Each structure stands twice: as C-alpha cells, then as structure tokens.
Amino acid sequence: MANLGAPGKTASDITDELPTFNVENMQNNAKIIYYSRTFMSIIGGVIAGILGFTGLTGFIFYFLVMAITSVGLAAKAGFSVHSYFDGWNRIILDGFLGGLLSFVLFWTFAYDLVHIF
Amino acid sequence: MAEDLVLDTAIRDWVLIPLSVVMVLIGILRYFVSKLMRSSNQVPDPKMVKEGQVIIRARNLRAAANYIPAKSFRARRVYFSNEENGLLYVPKGQAQNAQAQMFSDPNMAMDMMKKNLSMIIPQTLTFAWVNFFFSGFVAAKIPFPLTQRFRSMLQNGIDLSTVDVSYVSSRSWYFLNLFGLRGLFSLILGEENATDDTQRMMQMSGFGFDPTKSLGAEKDSLDIFQHEWALPKFEQRAEAVLKKLVVSVPTPVAETVKTEKVKTVEEASKEEKVAATPAPEVVTEEQKQVTKEEVAEEQVQVTEEEVVTEEQKQVTEEEVAPEVTEKQEEATEEEVAAPPAEKPAAPEAETKELAEEAVPEEAVAKDETKEPVEEKIEAEVPKEAAIEETKEEAPKFAEEEKPAAKE
C-alpha cells in the first residue's frame, strides 16, 4: 500500500464560505479509503481466524478493525479532515460494510486452517 | 452446545485451498482475457461520443451552476433544453430509433454477447465442477452460528440433520469465495478488473441505453435545478481580502506601490480560486502575461497588468485604490488601441474581448461589472471550445501552481 501515494488535497485554500472541490483528488482519496479498508478487513479476518474468535466476538473485532482504519486515515490526513475530504462522514463511514464479506471469507479460512486442522 | 467435529486434514489440503486458488486464478485469467478481447474493437461511434460529451457538459453545468450569475445560467440552460435545437432535446420517435439501431448493429451485439459470455461461463463451469467433485461432505466450519433456516442452503450435500449449521458444504464455500474475493481482486488487479459482476452489469446496460434515456434524464434534472447564486457578497469579500493585503505592504514609492499592488492583487485573485468559467482562463493567461512582461517594467505595461487584473476580478476595487482608476482609464484606451499583436491564441483573444467590452462598462456604472462576463459567456456558448472550458477547470489548479512557483 505504500505505492498508493498520499491523499491529495481536495478543497481549495482560502475560500471560507464556498468550498470548491477538486473532483480528481476527491476520487483519488475515495479510492485510497477503499483500498485501505479492503486491505485491513482481509488482514483483520486472518487475525480473527488465528485468534479463534467465534460468533459475535468476530464481528465486534471487525468493527474494531474498521475503527482503527478510520483513525489511521485521519492521522494520515493530519487530522485536518476538511481539507482532504467532504467531511467526517466520508472518512468514518465510507466503505464500512464493503469489506465485511472479505473479512468473513478470510476469517473462515484462517479459523478452519488453524483450529479445525 | 454443538459437538466439535474432527474433520480430516485432507479436506483442508484438497478442498479449501485448491478451491480458493482456482477461483483466484480464474479471476485473473478472466481479467486478462477481457483485456485482450476489448482491445480489438476500439472504434467508438462518433455520434455516441458526441452525445456522451454533451451529457458531461450538462452535468458540469449543473455541478458548477452556482458560480455563474443567474442570467448566464439560464442562457446556458436554454441552449441545452431548447425545444427546437436544444442539445438535450430528443423527440420521441428518434429515441426509439436509436435503440433499435443499437441492437441491429451486428458489431455491437456481438460485443455484448462476448462480454456476457466471458462473465457467465467461468462461473457456471466452476460451479458445476464444485458440485461434481466436492459434494457430499462437510467442507468447512464457519465461525459464527446461524439459524436453522440456513441449513438447506448451506448444507446441501450433507444429509444429516443433526449436524450443526456451522458445518457447511463446499458449495457454500464456493459462494463465500465468490463474494469475498472481489475485494482481493480489486487490490491485486487495480481498478479496472472485470471480476466485479455488478459493476459490469451496470457498464453493459449503460452503453445500450445511454443516448436515449440519459439525454432525457439530464434535460429533466437541468430543468428542475434551482439556481442559487453562491457569490452574492463576492465584491465585499474580495475587497476585504485586498484591503488586508494592501495594508500589509507599505511603500512610499509610487511605482513600487503599483507593481506590488499588482502582485498582491494577483496573489489575492489566485487565492480566491473562484470557479467562474472565464476567470480561470483569464487568471492563467494574465499570469503568463505578467511573468513575461515583468521583465520590461514600463509604466504602460504595469497599468496594463492592472487593467487585466481588475477585469479579472470583475469587482469594483476603485474605492480601495482611487489612483488606479485614473491610470486604468488611461490604460484601457491604450489597450483598445493596442494591437492584438501579443499572442494570437484563442484564449488570449478572449482576454482581449473582455478588455474591450469592459472599457465602456466600467466607466459607466459600478454594479454592472457582471455584464462583460455574461457577454463573453454568451458569445462563447456556441463555440465548441466551450467544451474545453469545463475541462480546463481541473488543470487550472495545476496551472495556477506553476506560475506561482515561477514568481
């Protein structure tokens, strides 16, 4: 993921009342969020499987991983979220459930490999 | 509590892993095959491309409509949705015609069939293979419990009804892989991967009905749109910004005052980044002019820059800098008389037009500064170059950065 590059600035510098958005940068940032979340859900699935989470614990772990991803993205954006994204919603909620299926797949895979050997 | 079944290790080695590996490989194969097949017929129909571009133009108009005055927005909207010769207006008979033509065109039909087949065949084959070879035994245990109603779906080959629903057959492992590997494919294949079924469906249906329905849809949404002028206090805001900048640059010498004012005004204008369509071109052009002309620091050229800057702002800064007005009125006459010998490029010509039109306007009244912008817009609308305006909005940020770096 290191070759994805840093998120680009979306909103313009000084306009206080009218935010104008650079569409290409916004799309680039959205793509970065998507890739980050997918990657983290796969890794989280493998971890959950190895640790042997079952049932509800696993799903709680998924939400935990998503929250960590959000915090990581916010940190990467220097916590000045409004200059990179539309708002907090985008960095927190976007693609939240998109990685769920990948998570479940890799969770099942790792769990079976390790525990029901 | 369910008993823990002990499952044979061989199942792991010979079912789970091979099935996953096979599905990943088939996905990659499908991606490359679709790439190869797509590159053979790449002749886009000019009519379709034109209609697509018109739709993009209308969408851009809707997106940025709040940055242009109401009158010019209405002018553009009429241009698009006019009854006789509006771009988006498609009479009913013609709409059906396009669709029928689409399907009878053999190339297009073959193309769509090929895309369909390349999607469905691998899935069907893999599913049949899984059913044939891997049926009748427990393949995996899913780590979360499910209700009894899922039993028939997940345990199709297993005929024992006392087995926990968590123990699933290989068919369900196939489906789990099918949905879960989409994320993995998007990571390893990049954005343009053909393995995402839903995306492909949308793309395929988009091509067939794009010209007929989208035009009507765009026209309707454009008609519905409520224009809200987002820059009502633009003049005051610009004045405030300029005041701040001018106050922070105290110099006694007259000439340096002018040159520095020019610079600060340009910086202010650059920082404003108002997305009005004539503005970016004028900004970039006058920045280029400024950097070229800065070498020869003559009075005329300095005032010329001021004129261009003033017009670009379309705001009456005369109250802020009264001396500039006098010079400006002299310079505008000079500018009108000045031959267009600078550069014959089209955007420069637009700047000239703006200058010429701005001369009578600014001398007349202060609250009509929006009119030269509108006249320029209305003169431009029928031009094909207007298509590039909206596209220039994207690189305008890059262009403005470059002259900033130069300065």
Side-chain angles (χ1 to χ4, degrees):
Chain A
M1 260 183 33
N3 56 353
L4 283 181
K9 285 218 169 212
T10 55
S12 47
D13 296 72
I14 280 202
T15 57
D16 32 3
E17 289 142 26
L18 20 118
T20 57
F21 294 116
N22 184 356
V23 180
E24 291 173 4
N25 282 348
M26 270 180 59
Q27 284 176 350
N28 189 28
N29 294 350
K31 237 189 307 183
I32 287 178
I33 294 181
Y34 175 65
Y35 287 154
S36 307
R37 287 200 189 274
T38 310
F39 189 68
M40 287 300 290
S41 39
I42 289 179
I43 300 286
V46 173
I47 292 178
I50 293 177
L51 292 180
F53 292 143
T54 58
L56 205 55
T57 323
F59 288 109
I60 292 178
F61 184 71
Y62 174 70
F63 289 118
L64 190 67
V65 165
M66 285 293 115
I68 292 176
T69 313
S70 299
V71 169
L73 283 170
K76 176 77 173 172
F79 286 110
S80 64
V81 168
H82 287 287
S83 68
Y84 289 104
F85 300 102
D86 278 11
W88 283 100
N89 281 350
R90 204 161 274 276
I91 204 174
I92 289 183
L93 297 180
D94 210 14
F96 206 72
L97 297 179
L100 187 65
L101 283 171
S102 301
F103 174 81
V104 167
L105 169 69
F106 282 93
W107 181 23
T108 310
F109 198 45
Y111 182 79
D112 284 348
L113 281 182
V114 171
H115 290 269
I116 314 194
F117 203 74
Chain B
M1 198 53 206
E3 67 284 359
D4 257 353
L5 292 183
V6 173
L7 297 173
D8 195 356
T9 315
I11 299 182
R12 308 296 151 255
D13 297 341
W14 295 100
V15 175
L16 289 194
I17 296 179
L19 194 51
S20 296
V21 165
V22 161
M23 290 188 74
V24 168
L25 289 179
I26 284 187
I28 295 178
L29 188 69
R30 201 162 42 172
Y31 168 68
F32 283 122
V33 163
S34 71
K35 251 178 109 165
L36 285 175
M37 286 206 323
R38 202 181 306 164
S39 60
S40 52
N41 45 356
Q42 266 297 342
V43 182
D45 189 15
K47 189 163 178 295
M48 294 257 298
V49 170
K50 210 161 99 169
E51 278 167 351
Q53 293 293 335
V54 164
I55 290 176
I56 290 176
R57 253 181 91 183
R59 243 179 248 159
N60 282 337
L61 173 64
R62 244 188 317 137
N66 288 327
Y67 297 114
I68 53 177
K71 194 163 127 188
S72 50
F73 171 69
R74 277 197 295 272
R76 287 169 145 113
R77 183 164 66 181
V78 161
Y79 175 64
F80 275 116
S81 43
N82 193 11
E83 287 285 316
E84 290 96 36
N85 54 355
L87 291 184
L88 293 180
Y89 184 69
V90 174
K92 290 284 171 56
Q94 202 181 11
Q96 287 304 319
N97 210 2
Q99 230 184 47
Q101 193 185 26
M102 173 77 49
F103 281 126
S104 68
D105 192 10
N107 275 344
M108 200 75 67
M110 271 298 295
D111 208 17
M112 280 173 48
M113 279 244 306
K114 266 196 250 177
K115 280 186 199 158
N116 264 325
L117 287 182
S118 82
M119 285 301 300
I120 293 185
I121 279 194
Q123 277 190 24
T124 320
L125 283 179
T126 314
F127 188 57
W129 176 65
V130 164
N131 266 342
F132 180 66
F133 280 108
F134 304 119
S135 61
F137 57 90
V138 169
K141 176 180 198 289
I142 50 179
F144 47 92
L146 289 172
T147 61
Q148 296 295 319
R149 267 192 276 165
F150 287 99
R151 184 182 287 273
S152 63
M153 187 165 61
L154 299 176
Q155 287 187 346
N156 65 320
I158 306 164
D159 295 326
L160 307 170
S161 56
T162 56
V163 175
D164 200 5
V165 191
S166 297
Y167 291 96
V168 298
S169 70
S170 43
R171 188 191 280 188
S172 53
W173 176 245
Y174 168 74
F175 280 115
L176 199 59
N177 265 297
L178 190 64
F179 293 121
L181 286 176
R182 266 189 291 173
L184 185 70
F185 283 138
S186 74
L187 278 184
I188 61 181
L189 294 180
E191 309 89 28
E192 212 202 272
N193 53 344
T195 54
D196 201 349
D197 301 5
T198 52
Q199 266 184 15
R200 290 278 300 190
M201 294 291 191
M202 288 195 305
Q203 270 182 20
M204 283 194 302
S205 62
F207 250 119
F209 310 122
D210 220 15
T212 59
K213 284 191 196 159
S214 303
L215 286 183
E218 279 296 325
K219 175 171 176 297
D220 289 339
S221 42
L222 202 57
D223 284 338
I224 289 174
F225 187 78
Q226 297 277 3
H227 180 264
E228 219 183 84
W229 174 231
L231 309 171
K233 301 261 174 68
F234 182 37
E235 300 158 357
Q236 278 82 346
R237 270 180 51 223
E239 179 192 338
V241 170
L242 277 184
K243 270 202 182 129
K244 263 192 294 184
L245 290 169
V246 165
V247 161
S248 66
V249 183
T251 52
V253 183
E255 235 178 22
T256 48
V257 163
K258 283 195 205 88
T259 48
E260 283 186 333
K261 258 194 217 161
V262 165
K263 282 195 193 155
T264 53
V265 161
E266 285 156 15
E267 283 171 9
S269 64
K270 197 176 21 161
E271 285 167 356
E272 285 288 338
K273 284 202 183 158
V274 176
T277 34
E281 290 168 344
V282 186
V283 167
T284 54
E285 292 316 320
E286 59 107 350
Q287 303 250 353
K288 284 182 198 157
Q289 281 182 7
V290 163
T291 49
K292 280 170 196 160
E293 289 167 346
E294 256 179 47
V295 181
E297 289 170 2
E298 293 178 3
Q299 188 97 355
V300 174
Q301 285 181 342
V302 166
T303 51
E304 220 180 87
E305 292 165 16
E306 286 177 353
V307 166
V308 175
T309 329
E310 289 286 345
E311 290 156 4
Q312 180 264 323
K313 299 226 40 87
Q314 289 126 27
V315 168
T316 59
E317 303 307 312
E318 283 91 349
E319 24 193 325
V320 178
E323 53 197 38
V324 179
T325 334
E326 304 165 46
K327 299 284 178 196
Q328 171 199 329
E329 276 172 14
E330 290 174 12
T332 47
E333 292 166 8
E334 289 176 11
E335 173 136 349
V336 171
E342 304 212 332
K343 292 104 199 168
E348 310 273 343
E350 288 164 4
T351 327
K352 287 289 169 227
E353 282 175 17
L354 184 60
E356 288 164 2
E357 286 169 353
V359 164
E361 304 294 327
E362 278 181 327
V364 171
K366 304 220 161 123
D367 50 353
E368 288 175 358
T369 50
K370 295 185 188 152
E371 287 206 359
V373 175
E374 290 178 308
E375 288 174 28
K376 181 156 119 45
I377 292 175
E378 283 163 8
E380 273 187 324
V381 160
K383 273 196 223 159
E384 287 304 308
I387 293 179
E388 295 170 35
E389 276 179 6
T390 49
K391 290 204 181 126
E392 275 182 9
E393 277 178 4
K396 88 167 157 118
F397 291 103
E399 279 180 337
E400 280 175 337
E401 301 285 323
K402 274 190 285 184
K406 270 193 239 167
E407 284 167 18

PDB file of all heavy atoms in Angstrom, chain B residues 202-228:
ATOM      1  N   MET B 202     -23.710  -2.939 -14.792  1.00  0.00           N
ATOM      2  CA  MET B 202     -24.057  -1.531 -14.945  1.00  0.00           C
ATOM      3  C   MET B 202     -23.409  -0.949 -16.179  1.00  0.00           C
ATOM      4  O   MET B 202     -24.008  -0.179 -16.919  1.00  0.00           O
ATOM      5  CB  MET B 202     -23.627  -0.767 -13.691  1.00  0.00           C
ATOM      6  CG  MET B 202     -24.498  -1.093 -12.511  1.00  0.00           C
ATOM      7  SD  MET B 202     -24.304   0.086 -11.179  1.00  0.00           S
ATOM      8  CE  MET B 202     -22.575   0.033 -10.897  1.00  0.00           C
ATOM      9  N   GLN B 203     -22.163  -1.340 -16.406  1.00  0.00           N
ATOM     10  CA  GLN B 203     -21.474  -0.795 -17.579  1.00  0.00           C
ATOM     11  C   GLN B 203     -22.144  -1.244 -18.853  1.00  0.00           C
ATOM     12  O   GLN B 203     -22.333  -0.467 -19.774  1.00  0.00           O
ATOM     13  CB  GLN B 203     -20.038  -1.279 -17.590  1.00  0.00           C
ATOM     14  CG  GLN B 203     -19.080  -0.366 -16.871  1.00  0.00           C
ATOM     15  CD  GLN B 203     -17.678  -0.882 -16.958  1.00  0.00           C
ATOM     16  OE1 GLN B 203     -17.380  -1.679 -17.833  1.00  0.00           O
ATOM     17  NE2 GLN B 203     -16.841  -0.459 -16.066  1.00  0.00           N
ATOM     18  N   MET B 204     -22.496  -2.520 -18.899  1.00  0.00           N
ATOM     19  CA  MET B 204     -23.068  -3.050 -20.137  1.00  0.00           C
ATOM     20  C   MET B 204     -24.399  -2.396 -20.439  1.00  0.00           C
ATOM     21  O   MET B 204     -24.677  -2.014 -21.563  1.00  0.00           O
ATOM     22  CB  MET B 204     -23.245  -4.563 -20.015  1.00  0.00           C
ATOM     23  CG  MET B 204     -21.931  -5.295 -20.186  1.00  0.00           C
ATOM     24  SD  MET B 204     -22.164  -7.033 -20.453  1.00  0.00           S
ATOM     25  CE  MET B 204     -23.042  -7.491 -19.008  1.00  0.00           C
ATOM     26  N   SER B 205     -25.230  -2.286 -19.427  1.00  0.00           N
ATOM     27  CA  SER B 205     -26.525  -1.675 -19.700  1.00  0.00           C
ATOM     28  C   SER B 205     -26.358  -0.199 -20.000  1.00  0.00           C
ATOM     29  O   SER B 205     -27.147   0.378 -20.716  1.00  0.00           O
ATOM     30  CB  SER B 205     -27.455  -1.866 -18.507  1.00  0.00           C
ATOM     31  OG  SER B 205     -26.899  -1.221 -17.387  1.00  0.00           O
ATOM     32  N   GLY B 206     -25.302   0.392 -19.486  1.00  0.00           N
ATOM     33  CA  GLY B 206     -25.110   1.816 -19.730  1.00  0.00           C
ATOM     34  C   GLY B 206     -24.878   2.111 -21.193  1.00  0.00           C
ATOM     35  O   GLY B 206     -25.412   3.076 -21.739  1.00  0.00           O
ATOM     36  N   PHE B 207     -24.142   1.283 -21.872  1.00  0.00           N
ATOM     37  CA  PHE B 207     -23.827   1.590 -23.258  1.00  0.00           C
ATOM     38  C   PHE B 207     -25.054   1.553 -24.143  1.00  0.00           C
ATOM     39  O   PHE B 207     -25.215   2.344 -25.057  1.00  0.00           O
ATOM     40  CB  PHE B 207     -22.813   0.571 -23.786  1.00  0.00           C
ATOM     41  CG  PHE B 207     -21.488   1.200 -23.987  1.00  0.00           C
ATOM     42  CD1 PHE B 207     -20.386   0.773 -23.296  1.00  0.00           C
ATOM     43  CD2 PHE B 207     -21.349   2.263 -24.862  1.00  0.00           C
ATOM     44  CE1 PHE B 207     -19.173   1.365 -23.480  1.00  0.00           C
ATOM     45  CE2 PHE B 207     -20.133   2.860 -25.053  1.00  0.00           C
ATOM     46  CZ  PHE B 207     -19.043   2.410 -24.353  1.00  0.00           C
ATOM     47  N   GLY B 208     -25.891   0.577 -23.896  1.00  0.00           N
ATOM     48  CA  GLY B 208     -27.006   0.402 -24.814  1.00  0.00           C
ATOM     49  C   GLY B 208     -27.996   1.550 -24.761  1.00  0.00           C
ATOM     50  O   GLY B 208     -28.478   2.011 -25.765  1.00  0.00           O
ATOM     51  N   PHE B 209     -28.293   2.015 -23.569  1.00  0.00           N
ATOM     52  CA  PHE B 209     -29.378   2.977 -23.459  1.00  0.00           C
ATOM     53  C   PHE B 209     -28.870   4.362 -23.128  1.00  0.00           C
ATOM     54  O   PHE B 209     -29.639   5.233 -22.782  1.00  0.00           O
ATOM     55  CB  PHE B 209     -30.363   2.525 -22.374  1.00  0.00           C
ATOM     56  CG  PHE B 209     -30.760   1.106 -22.561  1.00  0.00           C
ATOM     57  CD1 PHE B 209     -30.536   0.182 -21.556  1.00  0.00           C
ATOM     58  CD2 PHE B 209     -31.314   0.688 -23.748  1.00  0.00           C
ATOM     59  CE1 PHE B 209     -30.882  -1.134 -21.729  1.00  0.00           C
ATOM     60  CE2 PHE B 209     -31.669  -0.630 -23.921  1.00  0.00           C
ATOM     61  CZ  PHE B 209     -31.452  -1.549 -22.910  1.00  0.00           C
ATOM     62  N   ASP B 210     -27.595   4.542 -23.242  1.00  0.00           N
ATOM     63  CA  ASP B 210     -27.055   5.829 -22.823  1.00  0.00           C
ATOM     64  C   ASP B 210     -27.641   7.013 -23.570  1.00  0.00           C
ATOM     65  O   ASP B 210     -28.121   7.941 -22.948  1.00  0.00           O
ATOM     66  CB  ASP B 210     -25.541   5.790 -23.011  1.00  0.00           C
ATOM     67  CG  ASP B 210     -24.855   6.476 -21.875  1.00  0.00           C
ATOM     68  OD1 ASP B 210     -25.521   6.712 -20.858  1.00  0.00           O
ATOM     69  OD2 ASP B 210     -23.671   6.779 -22.000  1.00  0.00           O
ATOM     70  N   PRO B 211     -27.601   7.007 -24.894  1.00  0.00           N
ATOM     71  CA  PRO B 211     -28.016   8.239 -25.572  1.00  0.00           C
ATOM     72  C   PRO B 211     -29.484   8.552 -25.377  1.00  0.00           C
ATOM     73  O   PRO B 211     -29.853   9.712 -25.247  1.00  0.00           O
ATOM     74  CB  PRO B 211     -27.694   7.969 -27.041  1.00  0.00           C
ATOM     75  CG  PRO B 211     -27.647   6.505 -27.173  1.00  0.00           C
ATOM     76  CD  PRO B 211     -27.156   5.996 -25.873  1.00  0.00           C
ATOM     77  N   THR B 212     -30.328   7.535 -25.328  1.00  0.00           N
ATOM     78  CA  THR B 212     -31.746   7.856 -25.356  1.00  0.00           C
ATOM     79  C   THR B 212     -32.262   8.284 -23.996  1.00  0.00           C
ATOM     80  O   THR B 212     -32.869   9.332 -23.863  1.00  0.00           O
ATOM     81  CB  THR B 212     -32.529   6.621 -25.828  1.00  0.00           C
ATOM     82  OG1 THR B 212     -32.241   5.570 -24.906  1.00  0.00           O
ATOM     83  CG2 THR B 212     -32.061   6.218 -27.202  1.00  0.00           C
ATOM     84  N   LYS B 213     -31.986   7.465 -22.987  1.00  0.00           N
ATOM     85  CA  LYS B 213     -32.591   7.815 -21.708  1.00  0.00           C
ATOM     86  C   LYS B 213     -31.812   8.897 -20.984  1.00  0.00           C
ATOM     87  O   LYS B 213     -32.381   9.754 -20.335  1.00  0.00           O
ATOM     88  CB  LYS B 213     -32.652   6.561 -20.822  1.00  0.00           C
ATOM     89  CG  LYS B 213     -33.728   5.614 -21.215  1.00  0.00           C
ATOM     90  CD  LYS B 213     -33.903   4.544 -20.163  1.00  0.00           C
ATOM     91  CE  LYS B 213     -34.686   3.385 -20.725  1.00  0.00           C
ATOM     92  NZ  LYS B 213     -34.474   2.166 -19.977  1.00  0.00           N
ATOM     93  N   SER B 214     -30.497   8.838 -21.127  1.00  0.00           N
ATOM     94  CA  SER B 214     -29.703   9.790 -20.342  1.00  0.00           C
ATOM     95  C   SER B 214     -29.963  11.214 -20.780  1.00  0.00           C
ATOM     96  O   SER B 214     -29.977  12.126 -19.963  1.00  0.00           O
ATOM     97  CB  SER B 214     -28.224   9.491 -20.480  1.00  0.00           C
ATOM     98  OG  SER B 214     -27.985   8.189 -20.075  1.00  0.00           O
ATOM     99  N   LEU B 215     -30.159  11.398 -22.069  1.00  0.00           N
ATOM    100  CA  LEU B 215     -30.411  12.765 -22.530  1.00  0.00           C
ATOM    101  C   LEU B 215     -31.664  13.304 -21.872  1.00  0.00           C
ATOM    102  O   LEU B 215     -31.691  14.420 -21.361  1.00  0.00           O
ATOM    103  CB  LEU B 215     -30.551  12.791 -24.051  1.00  0.00           C
ATOM    104  CG  LEU B 215     -29.260  12.636 -24.847  1.00  0.00           C
ATOM    105  CD1 LEU B 215     -29.571  12.770 -26.311  1.00  0.00           C
ATOM    106  CD2 LEU B 215     -28.274  13.686 -24.441  1.00  0.00           C
ATOM    107  N   GLY B 216     -32.702  12.491 -21.913  1.00  0.00           N
ATOM    108  CA  GLY B 216     -33.935  12.946 -21.304  1.00  0.00           C
ATOM    109  C   GLY B 216     -33.769  13.176 -19.814  1.00  0.00           C
ATOM    110  O   GLY B 216     -34.281  14.155 -19.260  1.00  0.00           O
ATOM    111  N   ALA B 217     -33.047  12.281 -19.180  1.00  0.00           N
ATOM    112  CA  ALA B 217     -32.847  12.426 -17.735  1.00  0.00           C
ATOM    113  C   ALA B 217     -32.071  13.698 -17.419  1.00  0.00           C
ATOM    114  O   ALA B 217     -32.401  14.435 -16.486  1.00  0.00           O
ATOM    115  CB  ALA B 217     -32.104  11.211 -17.199  1.00  0.00           C
ATOM    116  N   GLU B 218     -31.033  13.945 -18.212  1.00  0.00           N
ATOM    117  CA  GLU B 218     -30.235  15.156 -17.964  1.00  0.00           C
ATOM    118  C   GLU B 218     -31.082  16.394 -18.180  1.00  0.00           C
ATOM    119  O   GLU B 218     -30.998  17.362 -17.413  1.00  0.00           O
ATOM    120  CB  GLU B 218     -29.042  15.191 -18.919  1.00  0.00           C
ATOM    121  CG  GLU B 218     -27.884  14.341 -18.496  1.00  0.00           C
ATOM    122  CD  GLU B 218     -27.269  14.823 -17.200  1.00  0.00           C
ATOM    123  OE1 GLU B 218     -27.238  16.045 -16.966  1.00  0.00           O
ATOM    124  OE2 GLU B 218     -26.855  13.972 -16.411  1.00  0.00           O
ATOM    125  N   LYS B 219     -31.870  16.360 -19.226  1.00  0.00           N
ATOM    126  CA  LYS B 219     -32.695  17.532 -19.500  1.00  0.00           C
ATOM    127  C   LYS B 219     -33.644  17.787 -18.347  1.00  0.00           C
ATOM    128  O   LYS B 219     -33.824  18.919 -17.911  1.00  0.00           O
ATOM    129  CB  LYS B 219     -33.467  17.297 -20.802  1.00  0.00           C
ATOM    130  CG  LYS B 219     -34.451  18.379 -21.145  1.00  0.00           C
ATOM    131  CD  LYS B 219     -34.986  18.147 -22.541  1.00  0.00           C
ATOM    132  CE  LYS B 219     -36.059  19.157 -22.882  1.00  0.00           C
ATOM    133  NZ  LYS B 219     -37.220  19.093 -22.050  1.00  0.00           N
ATOM    134  N   ASP B 220     -34.248  16.712 -17.841  1.00  0.00           N
ATOM    135  CA  ASP B 220     -35.188  16.901 -16.740  1.00  0.00           C
ATOM    136  C   ASP B 220     -34.500  17.450 -15.501  1.00  0.00           C
ATOM    137  O   ASP B 220     -34.992  18.377 -14.858  1.00  0.00           O
ATOM    138  CB  ASP B 220     -35.854  15.558 -16.403  1.00  0.00           C
ATOM    139  CG  ASP B 220     -36.806  15.150 -17.501  1.00  0.00           C
ATOM    140  OD1 ASP B 220     -37.224  16.041 -18.260  1.00  0.00           O
ATOM    141  OD2 ASP B 220     -37.105  13.944 -17.589  1.00  0.00           O
ATOM    142  N   SER B 221     -33.346  16.856 -15.201  1.00  0.00           N
ATOM    143  CA  SER B 221     -32.689  17.333 -13.981  1.00  0.00           C
ATOM    144  C   SER B 221     -32.201  18.757 -14.150  1.00  0.00           C
ATOM    145  O   SER B 221     -32.161  19.519 -13.190  1.00  0.00           O
ATOM    146  CB  SER B 221     -31.545  16.413 -13.599  1.00  0.00           C
ATOM    147  OG  SER B 221     -30.829  16.052 -14.732  1.00  0.00           O
ATOM    148  N   LEU B 222     -31.833  19.123 -15.354  1.00  0.00           N
ATOM    149  CA  LEU B 222     -31.416  20.501 -15.583  1.00  0.00           C
ATOM    150  C   LEU B 222     -32.600  21.442 -15.462  1.00  0.00           C
ATOM    151  O   LEU B 222     -32.473  22.560 -14.941  1.00  0.00           O
ATOM    152  CB  LEU B 222     -30.794  20.618 -16.974  1.00  0.00           C
ATOM    153  CG  LEU B 222     -29.852  21.792 -17.198  1.00  0.00           C
ATOM    154  CD1 LEU B 222     -28.744  21.735 -16.202  1.00  0.00           C
ATOM    155  CD2 LEU B 222     -29.303  21.731 -18.597  1.00  0.00           C
ATOM    156  N   ASP B 223     -33.751  20.998 -15.900  1.00  0.00           N
ATOM    157  CA  ASP B 223     -34.919  21.855 -15.779  1.00  0.00           C
ATOM    158  C   ASP B 223     -35.314  22.056 -14.334  1.00  0.00           C
ATOM    159  O   ASP B 223     -35.781  23.120 -13.942  1.00  0.00           O
ATOM    160  CB  ASP B 223     -36.103  21.225 -16.537  1.00  0.00           C
ATOM    161  CG  ASP B 223     -35.953  21.403 -18.039  1.00  0.00           C
ATOM    162  OD1 ASP B 223     -35.221  22.311 -18.441  1.00  0.00           O
ATOM    163  OD2 ASP B 223     -36.571  20.631 -18.780  1.00  0.00           O
ATOM    164  N   ILE B 224     -35.108  21.002 -13.558  1.00  0.00           N
ATOM    165  CA  ILE B 224     -35.562  21.080 -12.184  1.00  0.00           C
ATOM    166  C   ILE B 224     -34.645  21.969 -11.363  1.00  0.00           C
ATOM    167  O   ILE B 224     -35.066  22.568 -10.385  1.00  0.00           O
ATOM    168  CB  ILE B 224     -35.588  19.650 -11.576  1.00  0.00           C
ATOM    169  CG1 ILE B 224     -36.726  18.852 -12.191  1.00  0.00           C
ATOM    170  CG2 ILE B 224     -35.749  19.689 -10.093  1.00  0.00           C
ATOM    171  CD1 ILE B 224     -36.728  17.439 -11.752  1.00  0.00           C
ATOM    172  N   PHE B 225     -33.401  22.080 -11.781  1.00  0.00           N
ATOM    173  CA  PHE B 225     -32.378  22.673 -10.937  1.00  0.00           C
ATOM    174  C   PHE B 225     -32.713  24.102 -10.546  1.00  0.00           C
ATOM    175  O   PHE B 225     -33.103  24.914 -11.377  1.00  0.00           O
ATOM    176  CB  PHE B 225     -31.056  22.635 -11.696  1.00  0.00           C
ATOM    177  CG  PHE B 225     -29.899  23.065 -10.874  1.00  0.00           C
ATOM    178  CD1 PHE B 225     -29.345  22.201  -9.954  1.00  0.00           C
ATOM    179  CD2 PHE B 225     -29.368  24.328 -11.011  1.00  0.00           C
ATOM    180  CE1 PHE B 225     -28.278  22.582  -9.207  1.00  0.00           C
ATOM    181  CE2 PHE B 225     -28.306  24.723 -10.264  1.00  0.00           C
ATOM    182  CZ  PHE B 225     -27.750  23.847  -9.357  1.00  0.00           C
ATOM    183  N   GLN B 226     -32.513  24.394  -9.257  1.00  0.00           N
ATOM    184  CA  GLN B 226     -32.755  25.735  -8.760  1.00  0.00           C
ATOM    185  C   GLN B 226     -31.428  26.458  -8.659  1.00  0.00           C
ATOM    186  O   GLN B 226     -30.537  26.012  -7.966  1.00  0.00           O
ATOM    187  CB  GLN B 226     -33.369  25.643  -7.353  1.00  0.00           C
ATOM    188  CG  GLN B 226     -34.710  24.976  -7.312  1.00  0.00           C
ATOM    189  CD  GLN B 226     -35.802  25.951  -7.665  1.00  0.00           C
ATOM    190  OE1 GLN B 226     -35.536  27.097  -7.983  1.00  0.00           O
ATOM    191  NE2 GLN B 226     -37.020  25.474  -7.619  1.00  0.00           N
ATOM    192  N   HIS B 227     -31.355  27.548  -9.331  1.00  0.00           N
ATOM    193  CA  HIS B 227     -30.080  28.268  -9.316  1.00  0.00           C
ATOM    194  C   HIS B 227     -29.972  29.121  -8.065  1.00  0.00           C
ATOM    195  O   HIS B 227     -30.873  29.863  -7.712  1.00  0.00           O
ATOM    196  CB  HIS B 227     -29.992  29.153 -10.550  1.00  0.00           C
ATOM    197  CG  HIS B 227     -28.727  29.912 -10.604  1.00  0.00           C
ATOM    198  ND1 HIS B 227     -28.629  31.211 -10.156  1.00  0.00           N
ATOM    199  CD2 HIS B 227     -27.495  29.567 -11.015  1.00  0.00           C
ATOM    200  CE1 HIS B 227     -27.399  31.617 -10.321  1.00  0.00           C
ATOM    201  NE2 HIS B 227     -26.677  30.650 -10.841  1.00  0.00           N
ATOM    202  N   GLU B 228     -28.841  29.001  -7.398  1.00  0.00           N
ATOM    203  CA  GLU B 228     -28.632  29.817  -6.206  1.00  0.00           C
ATOM    204  C   GLU B 228     -27.271  30.463  -6.330  1.00  0.00           C
ATOM    205  O   GLU B 228     -26.253  29.805  -6.293  1.00  0.00           O
ATOM    206  CB  GLU B 228     -28.664  28.899  -4.982  1.00  0.00           C
ATOM    207  CG  GLU B 228     -29.363  29.504  -3.812  1.00  0.00           C
ATOM    208  CD  GLU B 228     -29.274  28.555  -2.638  1.00  0.00           C
ATOM    209  OE1 GLU B 228     -28.248  28.595  -1.949  1.00  0.00           O
ATOM    210  OE2 GLU B 228     -30.208  27.769  -2.487  1.00  0.00           O
TER     211      GLU B 228
END
